[in-house]
């Protein structure tokens, strides 16, 4: 039982809740004031009006001065002042507040909404009370007629609607709070990442070696220079003591006690190099160390000036035993980017990327062959880690009474880069830089082989853009290329380190999910979402969609060819089911494909053997119920299965070449029948022939139609070409308009079939010369019981009449449907009520009986 406050004659004026300030604070948390209408709240208002059986229902939010209308039924009232609002009394009562007759209550008798429009008499309001007890608004029902009572069931229902409203408001509030918290967390994380990146960049550009260690002497952060100087100790955790080499003395230094605040120490390495260690203790017990090479300051030696300094060939002079650098020329510094001090601090293997033994083995080879062996390319490291490719030339010389090596190099980086580019282009798509079909096939085979050995899964997803040709034809190939690049980038973002995205050609892509440790199904589920966001190209907003099909190893095959075939079958299924979706392969799809292949082969034979025949369904003039003409419908006179309708073999129309062949066959057969009827003196009116998207796209379609009519001597105004909205959408509208204009100019009528079920009906009415609109049977079927369908039919007929276009209603089966169509002003109709499709030899008899006795009860409006 709900508590209820019935109004009486005691008291007047607007009550003020004692917690108004707190209530307003709470209200603002819901972010509901001054927001646009929302369907969910409109539905609640409609339910309230229905439950209370009132002409007006409002959902109001109360701020300092007004009750703002969030949803309303029966009245357009943006807000109500609180000093004249019934709802304030509802808020004050804290429970359901009812006024059975406002004119009998002194508080409301002179209310402007009682004495003036809408002349309210009855009011029922329920407060919207949130979980903390704050009343943020009301849901109320009003009427201009008084009531004598309100049922308890109605009070319970209005209370339930109030609770539902509060729940939706609370969900909104929590969503806003969560969104703000998430945004704040993302901002903090971005700041942290940026700070870390700036720190890394700052220390990397410093010429000194810098290292950060924690209290336990474990390396936490270092710059590039430090890693160059101490490659043996740069590890994620505490380095093991070096076993030799340049850094042999670093281990004891890292293990020595940390000075309390700061320490500066100089140390000489065994190779003669000197370093200054400057360390500072951090607040958390760690240290910051700076390593500076002070060898030149210690040695105070005169730089070696050799004749090779100005040689254009980069030259290194090294100790033959230790390979430590003794001198370099200017060409070396220019090529490698090191300062002279940096170069002199290095050993020759330091510049070799990869195993240092490569350098030693090359030196040994050149020494044993006296430099006559063909040099082998090496990859060297320039300053800051940039790689270069060189051909080395090595000679052994004496320098200051000790053996030395003269190491010269020829930079072949650009040559190898050009060769690599040529090789890359052979295996990658030049537009998107993705692997091409050849590389994709190799990597797919590798991924499947590895999956077999590891017992893991590999997923192959084929992605094809929907109606991509329209983008190229309407916006140009530059826009098409931009779309392909964007799709490539979006797909690449889905791929893990071991996955692969490839462009197989045209607008077809492939994604291979292999060995990444991720569930392939999870990755595949993300594929359709890459088409959610539109693409902006040269100011044009392009909304794309794509169809995808996927197959998984080992469930759907364990060989590349099988996997590709099954993924392609799944892709075909996605397109057949309406595009813009992902379909996972299952064996039923292959069975359907086998059936389609079998059907296709058999259907081609039927075309050759003349098993296809047109049947004709009459089209009746609804003004005086006479035959206006016929629609030619394809039938297959199957030797085993009997007469089949087009629905029994509809799949063949999805094959463009078959669709065009069917169109040619039907045009020839129908015009042949029309010629025979004319010769027999049969007045058959007009005949409508259906055409597909493939027909409209085929070269010379309009000329073929007109030539056939002329050859058989049939007036063009005897033929109607019917095209569906979808067949127009799939084409280049400019080209289609040219085809239809050519036919229309010669007198052929153009009908738009299945009107209202396509993508942009009104656009088609402007673009093409449409003589007739065919109202789809889906609207006619339920128009006698469904008011919306009836309204659609009426709206189409009115629109067509205003544009001077005739209308034909399909699927008429009852006299009630026919009567409603007559009253709606529909021009023509066809359906089983008037006659089923008949063979060509029956048209003469049927056409002779223009008055249809079965329609005697229908009242014509003509």
């Amino acid at each position: 039982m709900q508590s209820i406050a019935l109004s009486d004659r005691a008291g007047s004026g607007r009550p003020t809740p004692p917690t108004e300030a707190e209530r307003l604070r709470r209200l603002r948390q819901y972010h509901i004031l001054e927001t646009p209408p929302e369907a969910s709240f409109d539905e609640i208002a409609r339910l309230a009006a229905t439950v209370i059986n009132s002409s007006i229902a409002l959902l109001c939010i109360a701020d300092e001065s007004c009750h703002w209308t969030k949803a309303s039924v029966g009245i357009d009232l943006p807000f109500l002042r609180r000093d004249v609002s019934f709802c304030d009394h509802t808020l004050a009562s804290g429970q359901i507040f009812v006024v059975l007759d406002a004119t009998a209550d002194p508080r409301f008798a002179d209310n402007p909404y009682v004495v003036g429009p809408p002349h309210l008499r009855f009011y029922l309001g329920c407060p919207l009370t949130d979980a903390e007890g704050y009343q943020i608004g009301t849901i109320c029902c009003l009427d201009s007629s008084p009531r004598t009572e309100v049922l308890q069931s109605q009070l319970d229902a209005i209370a339930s609607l109030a609770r539902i409203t509060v729940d939706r408001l609370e969900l909104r509030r929590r969503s806003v709070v969560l969104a703000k918290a998430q945004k704040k967390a993302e901002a903090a994380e971005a700041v942290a990442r940026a700070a870390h990146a700036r720190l890394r960049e700052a220390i990397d550009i410093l010429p000194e070696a810098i290292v950060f260690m924690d209290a336990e002497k474990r390396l936490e952060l270092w710059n590039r220079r430090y890693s160059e100087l101490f490659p043996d100790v740069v590890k994620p955790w505490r380095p093991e003591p070096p076993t030799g080499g340049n850094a042999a003395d670093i281990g004891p230094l890292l293990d020595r006690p940390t000075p309390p605040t700061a320490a500066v120490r100089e140390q000489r390495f065994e190779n003669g190099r000197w370093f200054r260690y400057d360390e500072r203790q951090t607040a958390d017990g760690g240290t910051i160390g700076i390593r500076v090479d002070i060898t030149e300051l210690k040695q105070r030696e005169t730089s070696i000036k050799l004749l090779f300094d100005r040689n254009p060939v980069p030259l290194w002079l090294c100790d033959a035993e230790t390979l430590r650098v003794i001198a370099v020329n200017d060409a070396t510094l220019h090529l490698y980017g090191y300062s002279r001090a940096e170069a002199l601090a290095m050993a020759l293997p330091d510049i070799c990327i990869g195993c240092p033994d490569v350098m030693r083995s090359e030196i040994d080879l050149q020494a044993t062959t006296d430099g006559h062996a063909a040099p082998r390319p090496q990859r060297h490291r320039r300053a800051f880690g940039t790689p270069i490719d060189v051909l080395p030339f090595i000679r052994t010389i004496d320098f200051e009474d000790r053996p030395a090596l003269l190491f010269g190099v020829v930079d072949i980086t650009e040559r190898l880069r050009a060769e690599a580019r040529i090789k890359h282009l052979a295996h990658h798509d030049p537009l998107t830089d993705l692997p091409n079909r050849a590389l994709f096939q190799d990597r797919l085979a590798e991924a499947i082989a590895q999956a077999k050995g590891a017992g893991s899964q590999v997923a192959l997803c084929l992605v094809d853009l929907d109606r991509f040709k329209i983008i190229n034809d309407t916006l140009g190939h530059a826009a098409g290329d931009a779309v392909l690049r964007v799709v490539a980038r979006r797909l690449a973002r889905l791929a893990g380190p071991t996955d692969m995205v490839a462009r197989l050609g045209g607008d077809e892509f492939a994604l291979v999910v292999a060995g990444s440790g991720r569930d392939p199904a999870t990755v595949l589920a993300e594929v359709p979402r890459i088409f959610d966001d539109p693409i902006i190209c040269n100011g044009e907003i392009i909304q794309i969609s794509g169809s995808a099909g996927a197959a998984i190893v080992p469930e759907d095959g364990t060989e590349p060819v099988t996997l590709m075939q099954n993924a392609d079958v799944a892709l075909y299924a996605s397109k057949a089911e309406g595009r813009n979706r992902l379909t996972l392969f299952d064996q039923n799809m292959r069975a359907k494909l086998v059936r389609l292949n079998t059907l296709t082969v058999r259907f081609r034979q039927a075309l050759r053997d003349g098993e296809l025949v047109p049947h004709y369904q009459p089209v009746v003039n609804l003004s005086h119920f006479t035959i206006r003409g016929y629609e030619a419908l394809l039938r297959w006179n199957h030797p085993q299965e009997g007469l089949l309708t087009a629905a029994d073999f509809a799949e063949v129309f999805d094959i463009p070449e078959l669709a065009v062949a069917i169109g040619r066959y039907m045009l020839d057969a129908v015009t042949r029948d029309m010629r025979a009827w004319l010769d027999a003196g049969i007045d058959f009116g007009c005949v409508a022939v259906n055409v597909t998207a493939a027909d409209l796209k085929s070269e010379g379609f309009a000329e073929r139609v007109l030539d056939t009519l002329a050859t058989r001597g049939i007036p063009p105004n005897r033929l109607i070409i019917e095209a569906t909205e979808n067949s127009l959408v799939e084409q280049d509208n400019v080209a289609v308009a040219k085809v239809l204009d050519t036919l229309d100019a010669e007198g052929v009528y153009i009908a738009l079939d299945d009107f209202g079920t396509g993508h942009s009906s009104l656009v088609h009415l402007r673009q093409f010369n449409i003589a007739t609109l065919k109202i789809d049977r889906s609207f006619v079927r339920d128009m006698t019981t469904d008011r919306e369908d009836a309204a659609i039919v009426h709206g189409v007929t009115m629109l067509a009449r205003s544009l001077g276009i005739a209308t034909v209603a399909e699927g008429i089966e009852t006299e009630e449907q026919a009567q409603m169509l007559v009253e709606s002003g529909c021009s023509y109709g066809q359906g089983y009520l008037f006659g089923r499709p008949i063979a060509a030899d029956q048209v003469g008899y049927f056409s002779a009986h223009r008055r249809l006795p079965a329609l005697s009860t229908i009242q014509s409006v003509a």
Side-chain angles (χ1 to χ4, degrees):
M1 295 288 290
Q2 299 294 328
S3 60
I4 178 172
L6 285 169
S7 75
D8 53 29
R9 299 177 180 276
S12 62
R14 179 172 64 87
T16 301
T19 59
E20 181 66 0
E22 283 298 305
R23 187 191 71 80
L24 293 173
R25 177 193 61 79
R26 180 65 172 176
L27 172 63
R28 294 185 186 97
Q29 295 178 2
Y30 286 93
H31 301 277
I32 192 67
L33 293 174
E34 300 181 5
T35 58
E38 296 178 41
S40 60
F41 293 109
D42 292 339
E43 184 63 23
I44 291 174
R46 286 193 293 271
L47 287 173
T50 301
V51 167
I52 305 303
N53 194 22
S54 62
S55 60
I56 299 173
L58 301 174
L59 196 158
C60 300
I61 306 299
D63 67 0
E64 298 92 334
S65 59
C66 296
H67 289 274
W68 295 95
T69 303
K70 181 60 181 175
S72 64
V73 172
I75 193 169
D76 185 11
L77 195 63
F79 64 89
L80 298 164
R81 296 201 326 265
R82 290 188 62 172
D83 58 346
V84 297
S85 173
F86 288 50
C87 294
D88 249 25
H89 294 268
T90 301
L91 293 181
S93 70
Q95 56 187 333
I96 295 178
F97 182 77
V98 178
V99 179
L100 297 176
D101 189 347
T103 59
D105 190 324
R107 292 174 298 178
F108 307 109
D110 58 350
N111 188 286
Y113 297 105
V114 174
V115 299
H119 299 288
L120 299 177
R121 298 286 298 277
F122 168 73
Y123 170 87
L124 185 151
C126 182
L128 301 177
T129 307
D130 70 4
E132 295 185 13
Y134 292 102
Q135 297 164 5
I136 58 177
T138 57
I139 180 170
C140 59
C141 298
L142 309 97
D143 212 330
S144 57
S145 300
R147 305 280 178 93
T148 57
E149 64 176 353
V150 178
L151 300 178
Q152 184 61 45
S153 60
Q154 293 175 311
L155 298 177
D156 293 340
I158 206 69
S160 296
L161 290 175
R163 287 191 294 271
I164 291 173
T165 303
V166 171
D167 288 343
R168 292 186 178 178
L169 291 172
E170 181 63 20
L171 179 60
R172 165 197 285 272
R173 185 188 70 81
R174 293 184 181 182
S175 298
V176 171
V177 171
L178 180 60
K180 287 184 175 180
Q182 183 177 359
K183 185 175 181 181
K184 185 175 181 181
E186 291 173 351
E189 183 180 354
V191 170
R193 286 198 303 267
H196 186 274
R198 286 195 296 271
L199 175 61
R200 166 64 71 182
E201 293 172 357
I203 67 173
D204 262 351
I205 64 175
L206 296 176
E208 295 82 11
I210 298 178
V211 62
F212 293 78
M213 293 179 285
D214 63 14
E216 297 180 4
K217 299 300 182 183
R218 292 180 298 190
L219 274 66
E220 294 184 314
L221 183 64
W222 56 90
N223 67 351
R224 184 178 290 110
R225 180 58 176 156
Y226 186 89
S227 64
E228 293 169 354
L229 295 177
F230 310 111
D232 293 332
V233 297
V234 176
K235 297 179 181 178
W237 301 109
R238 182 182 181 85
E240 298 178 1
T243 58
N246 302 338
D249 292 335
I250 294 179
L253 178 63
L254 293 178
D255 289 335
R256 67 180 175 78
T258 303
T261 56
V264 177
R265 177 180 176 180
E266 296 177 355
Q267 183 171 355
R268 184 178 184 275
F269 281 15
E270 291 179 353
N271 57 19
R273 307 299 298 176
W274 283 86
F275 288 87
R276 182 172 65 231
Y277 289 25
D278 190 349
E279 296 187 350
R280 295 291 186 271
Q281 191 174 40
T282 59
D284 60 357
T287 57
I288 302 175
I290 301 177
R291 310 293 189 252
V292 182
D293 186 353
I294 59 171
T295 304
E296 290 187 354
L297 296 176
K298 287 291 184 179
Q299 293 177 343
R300 303 287 185 180
E301 297 177 352
T302 304
S303 299
I304 301 174
K305 298 296 182 181
L306 301 174
L307 294 177
F308 73 97
D309 277 354
R310 296 184 179 275
N311 196 310
V313 176
L315 298 173
W316 300 78
L317 183 63
C318 307
D319 183 274
E321 183 63 29
T322 64
L323 300 184
R324 298 298 302 180
V325 177
I326 300 173
V328 293
N329 66 354
D330 292 340
T332 298
L333 302 179
H334 177 75
L335 175 62
Y336 285 83
Y338 296 113
S339 67
R340 191 173 300 277
E342 290 173 333
L344 294 176
M346 301 168 65
L348 207 53
D350 293 344
I351 64 173
C352 187
I353 297 177
C355 180
D357 293 341
V358 172
M359 181 70 75
R360 172 56 72 180
S361 64
E362 183 66 23
I363 291 172
D364 293 341
L365 174 64
Q366 296 296 331
T368 56
T369 61
D370 195 22
H372 294 297
R376 293 173 293 194
Q378 294 181 358
R379 173 154 286 196
H380 287 181
R381 181 184 294 105
R382 299 179 69 237
F384 307 112
T386 307
I388 57 172
D389 296 290
V390 300
L391 274 179
F393 299 90
I394 304 171
R395 294 292 185 273
T396 301
I397 64 173
D398 289 330
F399 178 73
E400 295 183 351
D401 299 327
R402 57 174 173 166
L405 297 174
L406 185 61
F407 188 86
V409 299
V410 175
D411 183 10
I412 58 171
T413 304
E414 289 303 322
R415 190 189 83 187
L416 295 184
R417 187 173 297 162
E419 293 174 356
R421 180 61 179 166
I422 293 173
K423 183 178 179 180
H424 181 84
L425 290 175
H427 295 90
H428 289 77
D429 168 51
L431 177 64
T432 63
D433 204 39
L434 293 177
N436 60 14
R437 182 179 291 273
L439 182 57
F440 158 78
Q441 290 174 339
D442 291 342
R443 292 190 179 175
L444 177 62
E446 293 174 4
I448 293 176
Q450 292 174 1
K452 288 180 181 178
S456 58
Q457 288 184 318
V458 172
L460 168 62
C461 181
L462 299 180
V463 181
D464 201 19
L465 303 189
D466 297 334
R467 303 183 181 94
F468 178 71
K469 183 179 182 298
I470 295 178
I471 297 176
N472 278 334
D473 292 345
T474 57
L475 300 180
H477 287 278
D481 290 347
V483 168
L484 292 174
R485 285 191 290 267
V486 171
V487 171
R489 289 196 297 270
R490 292 180 180 179
L491 274 174
R493 286 197 290 266
L494 297 181
T498 58
D499 302 338
M500 180 188 64
V501 176
R503 183 187 177 198
L504 304 185
D507 59 341
E508 186 178 6
F509 296 85
L511 168 64
V512 178
V513 183
S516 61
R518 299 183 296 171
D519 178 20
T522 302
V523 180
L524 295 177
E526 295 295 321
V527 170
R529 297 175 186 170
I530 71 170
F531 300 105
D532 289 348
D533 296 329
I535 297 172
I536 300 177
C537 178
N538 296 330
E540 293 283 345
I541 299 177
I542 306 173
Q543 183 63 60
I544 60 173
S545 65
S547 302
I552 299 177
V553 172
E555 294 89 336
D556 303 328
T558 56
E559 297 298 328
V561 173
T562 304
L563 201 65
M564 277 289 292
Q565 289 175 345
N566 290 342
D568 204 40
V569 169
L571 175 61
Y572 180 87
S574 288
K575 293 182 178 181
E577 292 172 10
R579 296 186 173 93
N580 195 24
R581 67 192 65 215
L582 167 72
T583 302
L584 297 178
F585 172 81
D586 64 49
Q587 293 300 328
N588 291 333
M589 293 178 187
R590 181 162 292 282
K592 290 180 181 178
L593 190 61
V594 170
R595 177 189 176 278
L596 177 59
N597 290 336
T598 303
L599 175 63
T600 302
V601 172
R602 181 64 185 85
F603 194 85
R604 293 180 191 276
Q605 181 182 349
L607 273 171
R608 291 193 301 268
D609 296 345
E611 295 175 4
L612 304 180
V613 294
H615 276 211
Y616 301 90
Q617 185 173 31
V619 179
V620 175
N621 189 318
L622 296 181
S623 296
H624 40 73
F625 303 110
T626 55
I627 303 299
R628 181 244 188 174
Y630 296 85
E631 180 181 3
L633 301 173
L634 181 61
R635 295 293 183 263
W636 182 357
N637 194 6
H638 198 284
Q640 288 79 37
E641 300 180 25
L643 194 65
L644 303 179
T645 67
D648 297 320
F649 49 91
E651 298 94 329
V652 300
F653 290 94
D654 295 329
I655 304 174
E657 62 170 319
L658 275 181
V660 171
I662 293 170
R664 290 175 183 245
Y665 185 95
M666 282 291 287
L667 179 64
D668 181 74
V670 170
T671 54
R672 187 168 56 248
D673 289 340
M674 294 170 69
R675 181 66 262 169
W677 296 334
L678 289 173
D679 292 341
I682 298 172
D683 185 10
F684 55 88
C686 300
V687 177
V689 177
N690 292 282
V691 298
T692 64
D695 288 319
L696 296 173
K697 186 179 179 181
S698 63
E699 184 175 358
F701 171 75
E703 291 74 15
R704 184 163 62 251
V705 171
L706 296 174
D707 288 345
T708 302
L709 292 174
T711 299
R712 293 214 158 101
I714 299 173
N717 62 3
R718 290 277 190 166
L719 181 66
I720 301 173
I721 293 295
E722 287 189 8
T724 65
E725 288 188 275
N726 289 336
S727 68
L728 299 184
V729 169
E730 293 179 356
Q731 307 302 309
D732 179 355
N733 285 356
V734 175
V736 171
K738 184 177 179 180
V739 169
L740 298 183
D741 286 345
T742 300
L743 295 172
D744 177 75
E746 296 297 327
V748 177
Y749 293 106
I750 307 300
L752 189 58
D753 201 4
D754 299 338
F755 184 77
T757 64
H759 297 270
S760 51
S761 308
L762 297 180
V763 173
H764 298 152
L765 296 183
R766 295 203 318 269
Q767 290 181 328
F768 309 114
N769 293 323
I770 306 298
T772 305
L773 296 182
K774 299 201 72 175
I775 303 173
D776 188 73
R777 67 183 64 249
S778 61
F779 300 120
V780 175
R781 181 184 60 239
D782 299 326
M783 65 179 295
T784 59
T785 56
D786 189 321
R787 288 186 297 176
E788 291 184 358
D789 283 351
I792 290 173
V793 171
H794 183 71
V796 170
T797 56
M798 294 296 292
L799 172 65
R801 179 176 295 181
S802 67
L803 296 175
I805 299 175
T807 51
V808 178
E810 297 179 302
I812 305 174
E813 297 184 359
T814 67
E815 292 190 6
E816 185 180 4
Q817 292 171 343
Q819 183 65 54
M820 289 186 67
L821 289 166
V822 169
E823 294 171 355
S824 295
C826 185
S827 310
Y828 306 102
Q830 66 181 101
Y832 289 170
L833 178 65
F834 306 126
R836 295 175 178 269
I838 57 178
D841 57 5
Q842 297 175 301
V843 168
Y845 174 81
F846 201 97
S847 299
H849 298 75
R850 293 178 179 275
R851 290 286 178 179
L852 304 177
L855 306 179
S856 59
T857 60
I858 300 178
Q859 300 299 315
S860 174
V861 296

